[in-house]
Amino acid sequence: MTVERTFVAIKPDGVQRGLIGEILIRFEHKGFKLIGLKQLVPTRELAEKHYGVHRERPFFSGLVDFITSGPVVAMVWEGDGVISSARKLIGATKPLEAEPGTIRGDLAINIGRNVIHGSDGPDTAAFEISLWFNSEELSEWTPSDQSWRVES
Ligand code: IDP
Ligand code: MG
């Protein structure tokens, strides 16, 4: 397994509904390492770049309206296989189809209010991390209990 980094964001619905702690704890308890964390109201320019692949989709402008409508909690998480593992923790895009135990399966109903974003692959992760964070906002550190999570 390779150590990877991924970009995760709690969308405005998750922040408004007071779900920040509930979501963070799932990544912390899994054992991943938090490398960057900030809350911001994204600009339209940032949101349009972030969702650029969906530019031609009918839901694009509504999605950009929604994601810029309030604070988003942006994060970078690191660990073995974190990119696909984060997607599993998050669950399917349509919350009613997301498995119970996943974030969307437990905490959401509607595709347009699915509380969280996670990068879908290595290239997207690298692009999204550099889009949302400057390098000085990312911390290099070793958790004191690292040897209890990862066999060396
Ligand atoms: P993902 O967030 O699981 O990666 P994507 O297909 O990349 O899902 O779509 C990005 C986001 O766009 C979704 O999380 C959802 O908020 C929104 N979205 C996708 N499809 C629809 C739709 O059909 N209606 C409304 N919003 C949608
Ligand atoms: Mg996606």
Side-chain angles (χ1 to χ4, degrees), residues 24-80:
L24 283 179
I25 213 165
R26 295 179 182 222
F27 289 88
E28 279 193 314
H29 283 177
K30 176 74 173 164
F32 292 127
K33 176 163 58 166
L34 185 61
I35 298 294
L37 173 74
K38 63 181 176 183
Q39 178 173 293
L40 71 160
V41 180
T43 61
R44 244 188 133 75
E45 186 189 3
L46 173 59
E48 286 177 356
K49 282 186 187 160
H50 174 79
Y51 280 126
V53 293
H54 297 303
R55 196 172 292 276
E56 307 304 326
R57 308 284 286 277
F59 58 81
F60 179 72
S61 69
L63 178 59
V64 171
D65 288 346
F66 162 62
I67 214 79
T68 57
S69 67
V72 165
V73 172
M75 296 169 262
V76 176
W77 289 92
E78 184 182 280
D80 287 339

Side-chain angles (χ1 to χ4, degrees), residues 5-9 50 74-76 117-119 125 128-129 132-133:
R5 288 183 176 182
T6 195
F7 175 73
V8 173
H50 174 79
M75 296 169 262
V76 176
H117 166 85
S119 306
E128 291 173 353
I129 291 168
W132 288 80
F133 285 92

Side-chain angles (χ1 to χ4, degrees), residues 119-141:
S119 306
D120 63 9
D123 294 345
T124 328
F127 167 72
E128 291 173 353
I129 291 168
S130 66
L131 179 65
W132 288 80
F133 285 92
N134 297 318
S135 55
E136 65 269 21
E137 293 174 313
L138 303 178
S139 315
E140 305 285 346
W141 64 296

